[in-house]
Amino acid sequence: MKKYIRMAVLFLVVCLTLTLASTGGVSGRTEADINEEIRQAEERAARLEAENKAREGQIIDMQGDRSKLEAYKALIEQNVTGVTARMNELNGIIDLQWEAIYAKQAEIVRLEERIADAEAEVLLREDKIEKLEAENKENLKKFGQIVKNNYMTGSYSFFDILMDSSDFYDMIVRYMVLQKAAERNTEFMNDLLKTIAEQESEIEELEKLQERLAADIIRCEEDKASLEEELAELYERMKELDVEMAAEQTKLYGYAGEIAELQSAINNMYSRYNATNAEIEELEKLTTELIKQKQNLNMPSFADDGFIWPLDSGFQKITCSYGWDSWRNGWHRAIDVGNAGINGANIYAIQSGVVLKATEGYGGGYGSHVIIDHGGGVASLYAHMIYGSVTVTEGQTIEVGHILGKVGSTGWSTGPHLHFEIHVNGERVNPLEYAYTYYYQ
């Protein structure tokens, strides 16, 4: 971009050279010729400054839009963080739910194993009862057979045994033996019956245990089914969060894309702004060179007897110094004086000289302004005067302290102030490098 700017300025210089050649060189050029060239350069600079002024507004607007987008993006990022936290929390709940389901399944397996063990025990006890009943029946059968045989054959009948006794004592002994035998058979039978009763009682307890275990299995399966339903609901909630996350991320990517596009537009605008500033700077150099040539056209030389301050002594506050200005994003080759109440204050010529330029209006961004040639290659510039307040005309010879106009805010200005420049051999230098005496009315 700077290459094209230099080419444009070079074109102007070539045009100036051709003009000089057609008029017989520098010595053949008049002050009017130089003034016309200065006017053209300043008009071009004024147009460029107006364009940059508009760009400043556009940049401010775009930066405001970017700030809004970044604020929206920050809100979406907070939403994404919140959804992520909820998803993590839900994942933790789902993990706990799975653990509960696994625990219920393990409990069901243990209950089923206990039921199987109880069923096996019941089968064993039923088999044992069956054998005991068979044995009991066999013993009863044998006992009955013995009694039957003794009764049918008459051998060893109860009465025979008693009658065979040798005496009463022997009869008593025989009776007791028979009684004991009967008691032993009865005890044996009773033991069998008791064992069978105990086995049947245990079987009954085992069957009740089976029923309880079966009920516990039903309860566990119901709990497991309930947990699985809750798990399904949790997964549905997770799906909803996935959809919400996808929507928020889509918004986030959209805002990020818009911010990137807007930043690219801002960067492009800054590039054009800086390129225009560079062109303006080149035009200012050209104008300075033209003013220098104008100064060399038989301008009188004034004694260098020092400068006075261009304002009354109460106005000395420097609001913008000479040098790099971050707000302008460029060099400020002047000083701005902007005390409170300065609007309308008188502006004085810092030294005697000849008026090189006296302009009312926009004046290439300077607004209403005056340039004074003090001789010896030194000139001073006073800008942003109130429109219609300029008191001098071009070519007029003035004395030190002459009122040139009043402080205002015309041209490229953000408020009432005096924009003050010192030119030495066409180059703008720091005005504060010089000492000033204060002028009093």
Side-chain angles (χ1 to χ4, degrees):
M1 181 64 73
K2 289 185 177 180
K3 176 181 177 182
Y4 296 113
I5 293 170
R6 292 193 181 94
M7 290 176 64
V9 174
L10 180 61
F11 175 75
L12 292 174
V13 173
V14 170
C15 291
L16 174 61
T17 303
L18 292 174
T19 302
L20 292 174
S22 64
T23 57
V26 175
S27 60
R29 296 173 70 228
T30 65
E31 183 178 343
D33 295 331
I34 296 176
N35 284 340
E36 176 60 21
E37 293 166 11
I38 291 174
R39 186 191 65 78
Q40 292 178 5
E42 287 183 341
E43 284 183 355
R44 171 65 178 167
R47 287 194 300 272
L48 294 176
E49 285 174 350
E51 291 175 7
N52 263 6
K53 192 68 175 177
R55 289 189 185 106
E56 283 182 356
Q58 292 174 340
I59 288 172
I60 291 172
D61 291 341
M62 287 190 291
Q63 287 175 335
D65 293 340
R66 184 186 63 186
S67 296
K68 290 179 182 178
L69 289 173
E70 287 175 345
Y72 295 148
K73 181 173 175 283
L75 290 175
I76 298 302
E77 286 173 344
Q78 290 179 1
N79 292 343
V80 169
T81 301
V83 174
T84 301
R86 282 187 283 160
M87 292 178 75
N88 292 336
E89 181 181 359
L90 194 56
N91 275 324
I93 296 173
I94 288 173
D95 290 341
L96 292 175
Q97 199 78 356
W98 272 116
E99 290 178 6
I101 290 172
Y102 293 148
K104 285 295 177 183
Q105 184 60 44
E107 186 177 354
I108 290 170
V109 171
R110 288 195 299 271
L111 290 171
E112 288 175 343
E113 289 175 350
R114 289 182 64 189
I115 288 175
D117 292 341
E119 288 176 348
E121 185 67 22
V122 168
L123 291 175
L124 289 174
R125 291 183 183 279
E126 286 178 345
D127 183 62
K128 188 174 182 180
I129 288 173
E130 187 177 347
K131 289 178 180 179
L132 289 171
E133 287 179 342
E135 183 179 347
N136 190 24
K137 288 179 181 179
E138 185 63 27
N139 288 331
L140 288 172
K141 183 178 179 182
K142 289 179 180 179
F143 182 75
Q145 188 66 39
I146 291 171
V147 173
K148 181 180 179 182
N149 289 339
N150 288 335
Y151 177 75
M152 295 295 295
T153 60
S155 60
Y156 300 102
S157 67
F158 179 72
F159 295 104
D160 289 337
I161 292 171
L162 292 179
M163 292 303 295
D164 287 342
S165 301
S166 58
D167 54 29
F168 183 74
Y169 175 78
D170 184 43
M171 182 184 68
I172 294 299
V173 171
R174 288 173 180 269
Y175 174 77
M176 291 179 69
V177 169
L178 288 172
Q179 189 178 34
K180 291 292 181 183
E183 288 176 357
R184 282 197 298 271
N185 285 332
T186 301
E187 182 179 356
F188 177 73
M189 293 302 296
N190 287 335
D191 288 341
L192 283 174
L193 291 173
K194 181 180 179 181
T195 301
I196 290 170
E198 290 175 352
Q199 293 291 329
E200 288 177 344
S201 177
E202 290 180 2
I203 287 174
E204 185 178 352
E205 289 297 323
L206 286 171
E207 287 175 346
K208 290 180 180 179
L209 176 62
Q210 283 181 303
E211 290 177 0
R212 290 196 301 271
L213 292 173
D216 288 342
I217 286 177
I218 292 172
R219 176 181 55 77
C220 286
E221 288 178 343
E222 289 175 350
D223 291 344
K224 180 184 174 185
S226 178
L227 289 171
E228 288 174 343
E229 288 179 4
E230 292 176 3
L231 183 64
E233 292 176 0
L234 291 173
Y235 275 123
E236 285 300 319
R237 287 171 57 190
M238 183 61 78
K239 288 180 181 179
E240 293 173 0
L241 288 176
D242 285 337
V243 172
E244 185 177 351
M245 175 64 83
E248 294 297 324
Q249 287 180 335
T250 299
K251 292 179 186 176
L252 188 62
Y253 297 148
Y255 282 128
E258 289 183 42
I259 290 171
E261 290 178 2
L262 194 54
Q263 186 59 53
S264 177
I266 291 172
N267 293 339
N268 290 336
M269 188 65 71
Y270 266 123
S271 295
R272 293 165 62 187
Y273 181 88
N274 292 333
T276 300
N277 271 346
E279 187 174 354
I280 291 171
E281 187 173 345
E282 294 295 333
L283 287 168
E284 287 176 348
K285 289 180 180 179
L286 176 60
T287 301
T288 300
E289 178 62 27
L290 291 170
I291 291 173
K292 183 179 178 181
Q293 293 176 18
K294 184 177 176 179
Q295 285 179 280
N296 293 330
L297 290 177
N298 301 319
M299 291 297 179
S301 179
F302 296 88
D304 185 7
D305 53 358
F307 297 151
I308 66 167
W309 186 245
L311 297 161
D312 290 323
S313 61
F315 301 117
Q316 303 174 35
K317 182 178 180 180
I318 308 300
T319 56
C320 187
S321 301
Y322 180 94
W324 178 261
D325 182 11
S326 58
W327 183 81
R328 291 177 173 82
N329 196 32
W331 285 95
H332 183 241
R333 302 183 187 279
I335 60 171
D336 290 342
V337 185
N339 294 71
I342 198 172
N343 191 46
N346 289 331
I347 301 173
Y348 307 106
I350 64 170
Q351 179 56 277
S352 302
V354 175
V355 178
L356 285 178
K357 189 175 183 184
T359 299
E360 293 277 11
Y362 189 77
Y366 286 122
S368 296
H369 66 285
V370 172
I371 301 176
I372 308 296
D373 177 27
H374 304 292
V378 178
S380 57
L381 181 148
Y382 315 78
H384 305 313
M385 296 179 184
I386 292 176
Y387 182 80
S389 69
V390 175
T391 63
V392 295
T393 58
E394 294 181 5
Q396 179 182 349
T397 301
I398 60 173
E399 299 297 325
V400 59
H402 189 99
I403 296 177
L404 304 175
K406 296 184 180 297
V407 175
S409 186
T410 55
W412 193 5
S413 171
T414 58
H417 70 282
L418 171 64
H419 177 94
F420 179 54
E421 298 180 4
I422 293 290
H423 297 195
V424 176
N425 294 323
E427 298 292 332
R428 287 176 292 176
V429 300
N430 187 354
L432 295 181
E433 291 179 357
Y434 295 85
Y436 299 87
T437 56
Y438 294 106
Y439 181 81
Y440 298 91
Q441 281 293 87

